Amino acid sequence: VNCLNSVQRTFRRSAGTERGAVQTEGTLGEDSGEKDGPKSFYELMADRQEQAEKSVLISCQSRTSEKKFLNFLSKHGDIKKHFFYESYGVYAVVEFACRDNVVSLLESAAIPSVSHESMVPFKSRLLSLRNHSSGESPSLPCQPQTTVPINELIQRLSREESVDEQISSLTEAYQLREENSRLRFLVCSLLKDIAAAYFPECTIKPFGSSVNGFGKLGCDLDMFLDLDTISGKNLKTPKSGLSLEYQMKRTNSERHVTQSILSVIGECVDHFGPGCVGVQKILNARCPLVRFAHQPSGFQCDLTANNRVAMKSTELLYLYGELDPRVRSLVFTIRCWARTHGITSSIPGAWISNFSLTVMVLFFLQKRSPPIIPTLDCLRDLAEQLLTDFFEFYATFPFSRMSLNIRKGKEQNKPEVAPLHIQNPFETSLNVSKNVNSSQLDRFVALCQESAWLLQQSETRTPTGVGGKHTTKPWGLATLLLPSQVAGVKGRKKRKPHHASERIKSLLESLKSKNDGKKNSDS
Ligand code: CTP
Ligand code: MG
């Protein structure tokens, strides 16, 4: 996944692509502030989580005036974003500028007075707006949170002019909206407040189709109770002197820990969670979970714990979906087709799941010739190899004869004498690097040789641990940034051939024989 991430970043940066319309409208990407370049899956997740922490969910009376509502709330702070939707009544999601505004709002809220029922005294960020004044206002403008019915979709698609347009139109209609994505993170955040009664440091994160880019409006909300900040990290125990550690209850299996955590959280959600109904504890499943319906959002929720792999596969799917817009479109289309024909179902059972179907689409895309998306193994090798290969490529490139042509993606015979010839892609008779002299080109080649050689050394390839008291020994890319051994690198004087070190010569030999080997195996 890391590899895919880096390939994706490199790809985006180098191609200078804007986040495409298809991609951003759906899930995490929107509002993510692209000024500093594309964000990683985890950065996007963190942004959404932060927004959710500063948000509240309010049940409203539909005849309330939007303006009055906003005026009333903004007494507690600036409202960054708000929207309304319908789910057993009208609800508002309101994001404030900071957490303190939410605290102030909650302090102003009253405890409801009920005469025939008793209340569980658990306060949360799920509130109800009471409207004591009379007067009618137009209905609040609600954002749709469900997909169009299939017949309507069929009509809509039939109005398009090509299959391509139909596929885009389907993707457009089905994908999660920005608002829906926010609501999913907010529900996670509200649940975290409940789980925090036991584990104050926990977080609850959405995974699966809510965030992998393939979610359809109305899909379930898969959540993951993350306790890694407690169990994962460990401060180093000093070798001498005194230190403290927590006493913790021990059990014989991790699975058992997960089951008991989910069991108490399940009870808690069932008894104290406002709006959570139909709580089922399914603790003997391969992946133990608590299932319930969150009525204010209308989401069917599955809460799991200790489920890091699912988080990784979610990220992987997300990144695949980002690599090429055709990936998401094809997945949405095939999913819709499969659902319509009962190949998949919203009920769990012996049928193909949406997740399996998605992986099948990805596999198909990998098997295309040429592949539309790369395989995982290929990416892993690529991410490690790209840098090395880059240096090897230019260490051995026949600059004396050939010109670089990015229009065709090929090298071509040089049309004119110049140490380095790079064809201007838009004015093809021009040489982009006309200014470069031969000693500068030599330096570049020599550095490529040295860096390629360095990256092949075992001590450069892996972290070597602590150097001094507070320093870490440079490795990998860091090594390449240290002062170079290559003669003449600092100077501008022409480097004489005999300055090339023995090391570089032997490298050249090794590269040559390696390339010959590659050619042989290719053929
Ligand atoms: N998952 C997995 N292995 C499985 C099933 C699920 O790793 N055999 C992970 C995947 O990351 C998947 C997530 O759990 O995305 C949630 O599973 P599920 O809800 O079944 O699939 P979704 O991708 O969320 O699709 P849907 O819209 O049908 O909920
Ligand atoms: Mg799901």
Side-chain angles (χ1 to χ4, degrees), residues 251-473:
T251 66
N252 50 12
S253 81
E254 209 177 329
R255 181 175 166 83
H256 187 237
V257 177
T258 304
Q259 285 170 329
S260 37
I261 291 173
L262 283 177
S263 179
V264 290
I265 304 284
E267 289 293 320
C268 206
V269 168
D270 193 10
H271 296 296
F272 308 143
C276 302
V277 298
V279 180
Q280 279 175 281
K281 294 197 267 179
I282 309 169
L283 302 179
N284 288 322
R286 188 189 59 83
C287 181
L289 70 128
V290 175
R291 177 166 288 168
F292 57 94
H294 186 259
Q295 264 183 348
S297 62
F299 294 142
Q300 183 66 38
C301 302
D302 278 352
L303 176 66
T304 59
N306 197 6
N307 199 2
R308 271 167 238 112
V309 179
M311 206 67 211
K312 277 287 157 198
S313 71
T314 300
E315 186 188 4
L316 178 68
L317 257 54
Y318 171 80
L319 293 171
Y320 269 131
E322 295 280 279
L323 274 184
D324 186 314
R326 289 174 294 180
V327 179
R328 288 182 70 240
S329 297
L330 190 62
V331 169
F332 272 105
T333 306
I334 300 299
R335 276 190 174 194
C336 173
W337 164 84
R339 184 71 192 85
T340 312
H341 296 292
I343 301 217
T344 55
S345 164
S346 53
I347 313 155
W351 25 86
I352 297 176
S353 69
N354 269 334
F355 179 61
S356 307
L357 197 62
T358 307
V359 178
M360 287 167 81
V361 175
L362 294 179
F363 182 70
F364 160 76
L365 292 172
Q366 290 179 334
K367 296 288 282 184
R368 299 280 301 170
S369 177
I372 287 179
I373 53 170
T375 66
L376 252 196
D377 280 351
C378 157
L379 283 171
R380 188 191 54 207
D381 298 345
L382 254 180
E384 286 168 10
Q385 272 296 307
L386 265 181
L387 195 61
T388 315
D389 284 359
F390 173 86
F391 292 126
E392 282 190 21
F393 180 78
Y394 285 115
T396 53
F397 190 85
F399 285 111
S400 58
R401 288 184 293 116
M402 305 307 257
S403 157
L404 282 61
N405 180 337
I406 64 159
R407 264 192 107 87
K408 302 218 182 314
K410 276 187 190 148
E411 55 256 42
Q412 289 181 325
N413 287 327
K414 271 189 200 173
E416 64 198 32
V417 185
L420 177 62
H421 196 281
I422 303 173
Q423 189 195 61
N424 183 318
F426 299 108
E427 291 180 275
T428 52
S429 62
L430 301 183
N431 174 13
V432 168
S433 50
K434 194 178 160 75
N435 60 312
V436 176
N437 66 23
S438 58
S439 67
Q440 291 305 314
L441 179 66
D442 287 351
R443 284 181 50 197
F444 172 75
V445 172
L447 271 168
C448 285
Q449 291 167 350
E450 185 192 52
S451 296
W453 181 83
L454 281 170
L455 284 173
Q456 284 172 16
Q457 305 311 299
S458 52
E459 60 270 33
T460 318
R461 284 156 67 117
T462 44
T464 36
V466 182
K469 200 176 175 201
H470 296 294
T471 60
T472 310
K473 225 176 137 200

Side-chain angles (χ1 to χ4, degrees), residues 208-209 220 222:
S209 60
D220 68 355
D222 303 294

Side-chain angles (χ1 to χ4, degrees), residues 27-48:
T27 50
L28 294 166
E30 201 140 287
D31 281 2
S32 59
E34 290 291 308
K35 288 169 206 89
D36 304 327
K39 290 187 173 173
S40 76
F41 175 71
Y42 288 103
E43 286 164 341
L44 291 169
M45 290 278 286
D47 285 356
R48 279 272 187 258

